[in-house]
Amino acid sequence: MAQDTRTSLKTSWYLLGPAFVAAIAYVDPGNVAANVSAGTKFGYLLLWVVVVANVLAALVQYLSAKLGLVTGRSLPEAIGRRMRRPARLAFWAQAELVAMATDVAEILGGAIALRVLFNLPLLIGGIITGVVSLLLLTVKDRRGQLMFERVITGLLLVIAIGFAASFFVATPPPEGVLSGLVPRFRGTESVLLAAAILGATVMPHAVYLHSGLARDRHGHPDAGARRRHLLRITRWDVALAMTVAGTVNAALLLLAAINLQHHGATASIEGAYAAVHDTLGATIAVLFAIGLLASGLASASVGAYAGAMIMQGLLHWSISMVVRRLITLCPALAILAIGVDPTRTLVLSQVVLSFGIPFAVLPLVRLTSNRELMGSDTNHPATTFFGWAVGAMVSLLNVVLIYLTVTG
């Protein structure tokens, strides 16, 4: 019996991985920009947004993985099968816009990291980030998904260490952290940053991607003991991955609140690097920059993976991820060439992402609540309620955001 338990445990750990690939989307450079901006401008005020967004993201990611396991289809495929061509094209257009916003954030983040590390021009850094992300995609093509998961999980570990290293030198005051867990806003800008944090945390392309990752890794098991086992492992996979991602996001906001607020630092990634360098030393600052670089490289490759899955599921076009990476690299490089403020662009890209969340979350909740499609693994009524609540809350926040932006 003990031997069987040990064997089962080893097998269970081996099955972990898809959620860690999806979790890269939750620690991408857009998250860095949104959380650094929030911590610099408002201190601990929006910490509760990070916590709530991470909990919501965990629920959504599990539903996505469950859909892939139970139906054998990715979310884009499942959505596309229920739409006529005009509606499918329109849905793809908004999903593609979200994917482009994701690409912008990832390439910009890598370019900023290379500038602070090696003083490279942003355009050159963006090109290097794009090329390295292409090389990461070749790992998936040549060595398979399992090796790709291991590489991306390794980069996630680098990101976590890089962004959390500052707490070995300076820790936040407990009263400040507790005050940040009380839900509240402070003016239009705080709502904008809350939407940016939400858009950076509940990532539409990660929602689309996770269903395909789970299906490709675990297959499409029939209802029964094996499917129940895989769903149980998937819950652990999501819980562990999102705990890591949530901790990193909270650490970024706290890092900015401690070291940037009231220190005259600008609410930018480069300002954060300079402030960390001045207050915590060169070693911690370099680790921060390395974490940012790993974030840009990993998320760029994962974003291209998701974009190819979206296109295949909705348009039924199979396009090489490498070719797609080359195409979607152009808008980000154009922004770098124009000379737009990179950190502000990163934050705004996350706001764009937040508008794509309902288009991913609401169909996902509806599909996983369909007993004809999901059988015995249909959502529990409480899960369905919370799923609809997530979509409704995000939609309402976006309406408020538009109103405040226009009238402000």
Side-chain angles (χ1 to χ4, degrees):
M1 178 67 71
Q3 180 64 34
D4 292 341
T5 302
R6 287 194 294 270
T7 302
S8 177
L9 182 61
K10 291 179 181 178
T11 303
S12 298
W13 280 107
Y14 176 81
L15 294 171
L16 299 177
F20 285 84
V21 175
I24 285 293
Y26 296 90
V27 291
D28 77 351
N31 292 81
V32 181
N35 289 309
V36 165
S37 295
T40 302
K41 294 181 179 180
F42 298 102
Y44 307 102
L45 179 74
L46 297 178
L47 180 61
W48 68 273
V49 179
V50 175
V51 175
V52 170
N54 201 71
V55 172
L56 300 181
L59 170 63
V60 171
Q61 290 303 137
Y62 172 68
L63 292 182
S64 177
K66 183 171 76 167
L67 178 72
L69 276 171
V70 173
T71 68
R73 301 173 194 148
S74 69
L75 178 58
E77 288 173 342
I79 292 173
R81 288 171 66 93
R82 285 162 173 75
M83 288 182 174
R84 295 186 177 182
R85 182 175 175 80
R88 201 156 35 85
L89 290 175
F91 195 95
W92 168 80
Q94 66 79 27
E96 196 65 38
L97 178 63
V98 167
M100 289 175 62
T102 303
D103 280 329
V104 168
E106 292 153 352
I107 298 301
L108 280 174
I112 293 171
L114 288 170
R115 180 157 78 175
V116 298
L117 280 171
F118 305 111
N119 200 30
L120 291 177
L122 283 176
L123 183 59
I124 300 300
I127 293 172
I128 293 174
T129 302
V131 170
V132 175
S133 69
L134 282 173
L135 296 178
L136 290 175
L137 288 173
T138 61
V139 173
K140 168 66 172 61
D141 288 341
R142 297 183 179 181
R143 302 294 299 275
Q145 181 172 328
L146 183 58
M147 180 57 70
F148 182 72
E149 288 177 5
R150 290 174 177 172
V151 171
I152 296 299
T153 301
L155 288 172
L156 178 60
L157 179 62
V158 172
I159 294 166
I161 293 173
F163 290 153
S166 64
F167 293 111
F168 290 101
V169 180
T171 56
E175 63 274 12
V177 175
L178 291 175
S179 69
L181 297 176
V182 179
R184 63 197 190 281
F185 294 108
R186 191 186 302 155
T188 304
E189 184 69 9
S190 67
V191 178
L192 176 66
L193 283 172
I197 291 171
L198 190 62
T201 306
V202 186
M203 298 286 278
H205 77 283
V207 178
Y208 294 124
L209 176 65
H210 201 167
S211 55
L213 287 171
R215 175 202 60 192
D216 293 345
R217 176 69 185 277
H218 302 309
H220 175 209
D222 294 330
R226 175 162 175 76
R227 182 192 286 180
R228 289 194 299 271
H229 176 66
L230 288 174
L231 288 173
R232 184 168 60 252
I233 294 304
T234 297
R235 286 193 289 271
W236 277 104
D237 195 22
V238 171
L240 292 171
M242 295 310 300
T243 297
V244 173
T247 301
V248 170
N249 283 319
L252 285 167
L253 187 145
L254 295 173
L255 167 69
I258 297 169
N259 299 291
L260 276 72
Q261 194 187 30
H262 308 311
H263 286 74
T266 58
S268 67
I269 293 176
E270 290 169 295
Y273 172 82
V276 169
H277 187 280
D278 293 340
T279 58
L280 302 179
T283 300
I284 300 299
V286 169
L287 289 173
F288 175 84
I290 291 173
L292 177 63
L293 180 59
S295 169
L297 296 176
S299 59
S301 60
V302 170
Y305 191 172
M309 188 175 292
I310 291 169
M311 180 174 287
Q312 184 173 8
L314 292 171
L315 298 185
H316 309 306
W317 291 353
S318 182
I319 182 172
S320 165
M321 287 186 286
V322 173
V323 173
R324 181 182 172 82
R325 173 76 279 171
L326 291 172
I327 295 172
T328 56
L329 188 60
C330 295
L333 294 181
I335 289 174
L336 290 175
I338 292 171
V340 178
D341 175 37
T343 299
R344 184 63 177 173
T345 303
L346 279 171
V347 173
L348 291 177
S349 73
Q350 303 313 295
V351 176
V352 173
L353 288 178
S354 73
F355 285 92
I357 296 171
F359 293 98
V361 173
L362 296 179
L364 174 64
V365 175
R366 183 175 181 180
L367 288 167
T368 52
S369 304
N370 185 336
R371 183 165 296 278
E372 181 180 345
L373 180 67
M374 301 292 292
S376 60
D377 294 303
T378 305
N379 290 343
H380 187 278
T383 303
T384 299
F385 172 80
F386 283 113
W388 287 121
V390 171
M393 183 186 68
V394 172
S395 300
L396 178 61
L397 180 60
N398 288 333
V399 170
V400 173
L401 176 63
I402 293 172
Y403 173 77
L404 292 175
T405 303
V406 171
T407 58

